[in-house]
Amino acid sequence: MKRKFVLALDIGGTSLKSAIITSEGTMIKNSLTKVPIDSQGPRQHVIDALLGILKRQFNYASKLGLDISGLGIASPGPADYSRGIFLMKQKFASLYGANLKDIIREGLNLSKEFPIIFEVDSWAFLRGEAWVGAAKGYKRVVGLTLGTGLGAAFMVDEQIVIQGPGVPPLGWVAILPFRGGVVEDFISRKWILSRYSELVKRKEPLDVKDIAILANRGQNEAIQVFRELGENLAEILKPILTDFRAECLILGGQISKSISLFKDPLKERLRHVASLKKISRARLIMTAALFGVSRMLFENIKSPAWEIRPEEVLPKLGLKL
């Protein structure tokens, strides 16, 4: 089978990541690129950053003599993923209503036939982990991305599912009710920083990685924050994993880099989930989403997100566009 190449882009709140991925599940040497982006920046600045990284990647592929057969983009939501239209009001608010497919085609002089697909970033993450990462070989998998917010994905036989036993509407764990708020209020960067300040009784100019360093040095308050994070996560996930009959739980995102600080309470409280065989940090924290959108192009996989009309679905979840 002829080796194929696609260009993958992962749009994050603070950075853009891109790489050239092969149909063999490998990455072209020196193609991984990461650049900062201001998600609150003016529209043209954001567009220039997007087009800039893609232009450099197409030029690098040309230099190597590689024929790029498609472009896969992992992005946060809400969005109209079938058409490539951003509908976010916090991150990338300046792109609200912008058709990125059209902008990219015009900005890079791509033909109408050139494949460009968009996928939910957390779904792309789990697709990548199931292809070449820590979820490979498992039939029923739940993936979570822990960072500024909380992303989630549910997979059965390597296919993303958005309904069924244990699966919240659209697989959206973050907005489930929890302790008078929603899940994301207790599983996020914001919660970690707030809880730490509460414990030390003062506001500290620290980020999650700083608190993790303090925990590894033995500071009690920092240790307690991560222990509580693991306990919160287990309380939220236990009924979900049980009903879904999950075999594997994969954790990604920046906070998962500190999994050693919260894995024990998480495992302890999930030990009665009979189906669960594995709890693991993602193997490809930085690049799983890039592999995930690439596999979709190589294997012509269709995303459930392409059938969703946000203006029809989100109001039913209590969310506004």
Side-chain angles (χ1 to χ4, degrees):
M1 191 173 181
K2 184 180 178 182
R3 195 182 191 208
K4 295 182 179 179
F5 309 91
V6 299
L7 178 54
L9 175 69
D10 183 5
I11 300 176
T14 59
S15 67
L16 302 173
K17 293 192 289 288
S18 178
I20 300 171
I21 306 296
T22 78
S23 52
E24 299 165 343
T26 60
M27 183 183 296
I28 293 297
K29 185 177 180 181
N30 297 326
S31 72
L32 180 60
T33 304
K34 181 179 179 180
V35 299
I37 191 170
D38 180 6
S39 64
Q40 308 296 336
R43 178 186 176 111
Q44 197 56 50
H45 286 189
V46 176
I47 290 173
D48 287 346
L50 287 168
L51 293 179
I53 191 171
L54 293 175
K55 284 178 181 177
R56 287 195 294 276
Q57 293 289 57
F58 274 109
N59 288 338
Y60 185 60
S62 178
K63 180 180 176 182
L64 297 178
L66 305 180
D67 181 20
I68 300 297
S69 59
L71 169 61
I73 300 173
S75 82
D80 185 329
Y81 287 92
S82 65
R83 293 184 289 174
I85 297 175
F86 272 21
L87 297 169
M88 289 172 276
K89 290 186 175 179
Q90 295 178 332
K91 292 184 288 188
F92 300 107
S94 67
L95 291 182
Y96 187 92
N99 189 313
L100 287 185
K101 269 191 185 179
D102 290 347
I103 290 170
I104 290 170
R105 286 192 195 282
E106 183 178 342
L108 299 178
N109 295 315
L110 299 173
S111 71
K112 289 184 179 180
E113 293 73 33
F114 184 83
I116 300 176
I117 65 168
F118 286 77
E119 176 63 304
V120 182
D121 49 5
S122 58
W123 298 5
F125 155 77
L126 188 54
R127 290 186 190 279
E129 284 294 318
W131 185 24
V132 290
K136 186 174 182 178
Y138 288 89
K139 294 188 63 168
R140 305 184 69 86
V141 187
V142 175
L144 297 181
T145 53
L146 314 175
T148 304
L150 175 68
F154 294 75
M155 181 174 276
V156 178
D157 293 327
E158 299 192 359
Q159 299 297 320
I160 295 292
V161 295
I162 58 174
Q163 60 186 354
V167 184
L170 304 185
W172 207 334
V173 172
I175 62 170
L176 292 176
F178 186 67
R179 295 183 186 171
V182 296
V183 164
E184 196 169 79
D185 294 336
F186 297 87
I187 308 293
S188 62
R189 171 182 176 271
K190 182 179 179 181
W191 179 84
I192 290 174
L193 302 186
S194 173
R195 181 61 178 139
Y196 180 75
S197 294
E198 183 181 341
L199 289 171
V200 297
K201 297 181 172 55
R202 62 184 183 277
K203 189 164 180 61
E204 294 277 11
L206 302 176
D207 210 336
V208 174
K209 63 181 181 181
D210 303 308
I211 299 172
I213 290 171
L214 292 172
N216 283 315
R217 290 176 179 171
Q219 189 198 69
N220 290 332
E221 293 87 352
I223 291 170
Q224 182 175 338
V225 168
F226 283 101
R227 185 178 69 249
E228 290 181 9
L229 176 69
E231 292 169 353
N232 292 346
L233 198 52
E235 185 177 344
I236 291 158
L237 289 178
K238 187 174 181 180
I240 292 173
L241 298 175
T242 300
D243 291 346
F244 183 66
R245 293 181 287 116
E247 298 174 356
C248 177
L249 172 64
I250 300 295
L251 303 178
Q254 291 300 309
I255 293 173
S256 71
K257 292 180 178 179
S258 303
I259 192 172
S260 61
L261 296 171
F262 61 88
K263 189 174 183 179
D264 286 348
L266 178 63
K267 288 183 69 174
E268 171 59 27
R269 292 178 179 232
L270 292 180
R271 62 189 174 91
H272 294 301
V273 179
S275 61
L276 194 60
K277 301 173 184 175
K278 180 178 183 179
I279 298 175
S280 173
R281 190 181 86 164
R283 185 178 298 163
L284 310 165
I285 288 180
M286 270 192 64
T287 59
L290 300 176
F291 281 96
V293 289
S294 298
R295 190 183 193 188
M296 293 174 70
L297 284 162
F298 292 132
E299 300 184 16
N300 196 28
I301 297 170
K302 300 187 186 311
S303 171
W306 300 350
E307 303 299 323
I308 295 169
R309 289 290 169 262
E311 66 274 13
E312 298 173 2
V313 174
L314 294 184
K316 297 177 182 177
L317 301 178
L319 301 169
K320 295 180 181 180
L321 285 179

